[in-house]
Amino acid sequence: MKSGKLRSRFEGDLAEGVKEFISSVGIDKEVILEDIWGSEAHVIMLAEQGVVERSDARKILGALERAKSDFIEGRFELDPGLEDVHMNVEDYVMKDVGEDLGGRIHTARSRNDQVLTDTRLHLRESIIEIEESIIKLQKTLLKLAEKSTERIMPGYTHTQHAQPISLGFWATAHVSMLTRDLKRLKNAYIHVNKNPLGACALSGTSFPINRELTTKLLGFDGIEEHSLDAISSRDFIVETLSALSILMSNLSRLSEELILFSTKEFGLIELSDEFSTGSSIMPQKKNPDVAELVRGMTGLVYGSLMQILVTLKALPLGYSRDLQEDRALLWDSLRRVNSSLLLLDGTINKVRFNEKRMSELVSKNFSTATELANFLVSEKGIPFRKSHEIVGTVVKELIRRKRDFSDTGYSRDILRKLGVDISTRELRDILDPKKAIERSKSLGGTSPKEVERMIKKFRREVDKRERDIKERKEKIESAKKLTEKMIREL
Ligand code: ARG
């Protein structure tokens, strides 16, 4: 079928360049199978409702099955001249079983509800894939955390040494962030997985269609009922891209830490060769390109979110061709987010932590100053503001004398001059970073006990999410099976 098929009301043909300009075949390649599945569900429903003869439906469904296998085996390629995937599939069916039968497939539907059906079917599987990749990364971080509840590293505020924390505490912070990303994606999924099919062009149809049946056949969790809303709205895409943008923001922070930690200046980690690249001119270079690209792609995903928001702004209800621009960046973002997750997972799996450097930094940088101030409060009855002042003065003095807390003798002398008497043994204990983290037992603190407790909690959360994903995947699979079964039964 030529695009001329839709042009009986026109006197002339399209001007040069228009066909290519309006074609969505480039972005529709992703949803050929979805388009075929949606068509199958539609035809089964039309047959069940008596809108199309069962014998006709059987032949049309045969053509759709052939379209599927031809596509899988590389024999069915979309023709850009046919505008989009919907017209291409219809054209395939017409050529396969003739125009009389093929011409019946589009009864009681529109490309407007079709494009949304395809997009939602595709998007829900991509969301699940990304959720699975998040969980993979979480598990890697949890594995790292489990063996790192007593490995000390500097904790930063303002990118300045702040207080000692454990590596396990650092790793679980990222797990904790990702937990919310999973929730946001699941929420987006709830709005994505609704059936728009049957909304038709905008107003529903006078044919006695059964939207519940197509909902079941396509494994949707419910119907996007209101026809005008169903074909006009793309907020499920906005929600997905918002969730992905926040996820990328979190991943870019993890990436930034990996980049910083791997510098000579920090020296906290060494990236494995498998996840580092060289320079074309400087033979000594080892660059963290994977982490940098995750950081870079974050901008692209934010851009996609902005693009869909701007496309939707002030667009009147009903389908407008602007809406065709809703997918190019979406597909691209989904791919990039997923590979970001997988490659970060690989990076973390293979990274080597420089424990010597970590504990060296922690003991040379006054990171236990707050511990000392706390001690003056709890053991010496000094008000915190005063103890802050005393410890600040100790630090100032030590810096002046080019010393640090590891010189317990010096520290003790200075304290004594300020009117505080602490034994060397006690002082050593207070200033010991390892003991400091053990004392941070408050809920959510860095103590090994708390981190162990949180690891268990995150593990339970991960299990729960995995079960939920499994259920959703099973539902999709059994919908596919139900469609196949009903095709066979016709
Ligand atoms: N190719 C179109 C898209 O991607 C499908 C819907 C076309 N609908 C229409 N009324 N022209 O959005």
Side-chain angles (χ1 to χ4, degrees), residues 328-343:
L329 297 184
L330 175 64
W331 298 158
D332 195 36
S333 298
L334 291 165
R335 261 193 302 272
R336 287 175 197 253
V337 170
N338 198 48
S339 39
S340 295
L341 284 161
L342 295 178
L343 287 170

Side-chain angles (χ1 to χ4, degrees), residues 7-190:
R7 296 187 61 80
S8 57
R9 60 95 64 228
F10 296 95
E11 298 286 350
D13 209 349
L14 287 170
E16 209 192 306
V18 176
K19 234 189 217 174
E20 292 74 24
F21 188 71
I22 63 168
S23 173
S24 61
V25 158
I27 48 174
D28 287 349
K29 284 196 190 93
E30 305 255 1
V31 294
I32 298 178
L33 291 175
E34 287 84 348
D35 198 76
I36 295 173
W37 187 11
S39 298
E40 288 172 340
H42 181 65
V43 173
I44 293 169
M45 183 276 291
L46 292 180
E48 290 294 318
Q49 298 298 103
V51 177
V52 165
E53 295 286 337
R54 295 179 83 83
S55 55
D56 289 352
R58 201 175 305 133
K59 287 178 197 138
I60 299 171
L61 288 165
L64 287 169
E65 282 302 290
R66 283 185 285 283
K68 196 192 312 182
S69 50
D70 273 359
F71 168 68
I72 291 167
E73 282 151 36
R75 287 191 301 267
F76 174 24
E77 265 179 44
L78 298 186
D79 172 4
L82 293 177
E83 255 189 73
D84 52 36
V85 62
H86 325 299
M87 297 313 293
N88 267 275
V89 171
E90 185 177 316
D91 179 66
Y92 182 103
V93 174
M94 288 218 188
K95 284 194 178 125
D96 197 73
V97 292
E99 298 203 357
D100 184 55
L101 282 179
R104 292 170 196 277
I105 193 174
H106 209 60
T107 314
R109 76 171 187 189
S110 157
R111 288 186 289 168
N112 296 352
D113 58 350
Q114 261 193 291
V115 70
L116 280 156
T117 306
D118 298 1
T119 304
R120 287 168 181 268
L121 290 177
H122 190 72
L123 189 50
R124 72 177 179 194
E125 300 222 23
S126 304
I127 292 178
I128 288 180
E129 192 182 21
I130 290 174
E131 286 176 275
E132 288 178 322
S133 302
I134 294 178
I135 289 176
K136 190 159 189 269
L137 177 58
Q138 283 186 314
K139 283 181 165 173
T140 298
L141 287 163
L142 285 171
K143 215 170 72 196
L144 167 67
E146 263 156 10
K147 46 183 194 206
S148 311
T149 54
E150 292 183 19
R151 292 156 101 184
I152 307 282
M153 69 179 274
Y156 297 86
T157 63
H158 308 266
T159 330
Q160 305 285 332
H161 293 164
Q163 288 179 329
I165 59 172
S166 74
L167 178 55
F169 188 62
W170 172 82
T172 44
H174 287 287
V175 176
S176 180
M177 287 166 103
L178 292 168
T179 301
R180 290 190 297 277
D181 289 309
L182 281 171
K183 284 189 197 150
R184 274 184 286 269
L185 280 166
K186 172 64 197 289
N187 281 342
Y189 185 96
I190 291 171

Side-chain angles (χ1 to χ4, degrees), residues 282-312:
M282 299 164 283
Q284 86 287 7
K285 287 300 295 286
K286 182 171 178 184
N287 297 328
D289 290 42
V290 168
E292 285 172 329
L293 267 171
V294 173
R295 201 173 55 177
M297 285 179 193
T298 303
L300 183 134
V301 178
Y302 292 178
S304 313
L305 171 63
M306 218 24 80
Q307 184 261 349
I308 182 73
L309 282 171
V310 175
T311 302
L312 293 176

Side-chain angles (χ1 to χ4, degrees), residues 315-326:
L315 202 64
L317 294 193
Y319 179 85
S320 298
R321 200 58 175 246
D322 315 42
L323 292 171
Q324 184 165 294
E325 293 301 321
D326 65 353

Side-chain angles (χ1 to χ4, degrees), residues 389-441:
E389 188 193 322
I390 295 171
V391 178
T393 310
V394 175
V395 170
K396 184 172 72 187
E397 275 306 299
L398 285 169
I399 291 172
R400 206 174 56 81
R401 299 186 200 179
K402 298 201 172 20
R403 302 279 174 168
D404 57 51
F405 279 158
S406 58
D407 298 302
T408 327
Y410 270 97
S411 310
R412 187 169 173 249
D413 286 350
I414 301 167
L415 276 166
R416 210 168 16 212
K417 276 188 203 130
L418 293 167
V420 184
D421 197 15
I422 306 177
S423 75
T424 315
R425 229 195 50 213
E426 208 163 24
L427 193 55
R428 204 167 283 145
D429 222 54
I430 301 161
L431 298 176
D432 178 354
K434 205 161 176 119
K435 299 240 164 75
I437 71 160
E438 272 159 24
R439 282 189 294 262
S440 291
K441 283 200 276 275

Side-chain angles (χ1 to χ4, degrees), residues 468-484:
D468 176 59
I469 290 173
K470 189 160 163 267
E471 272 169 29
R472 280 183 275 154
K473 283 171 87 169
E474 279 168 4
K475 181 165 183 186
I476 294 172
E477 270 322 298
S478 59
K480 280 185 185 152
K481 291 216 177 85
L482 179 65
T483 307
E484 283 163 20

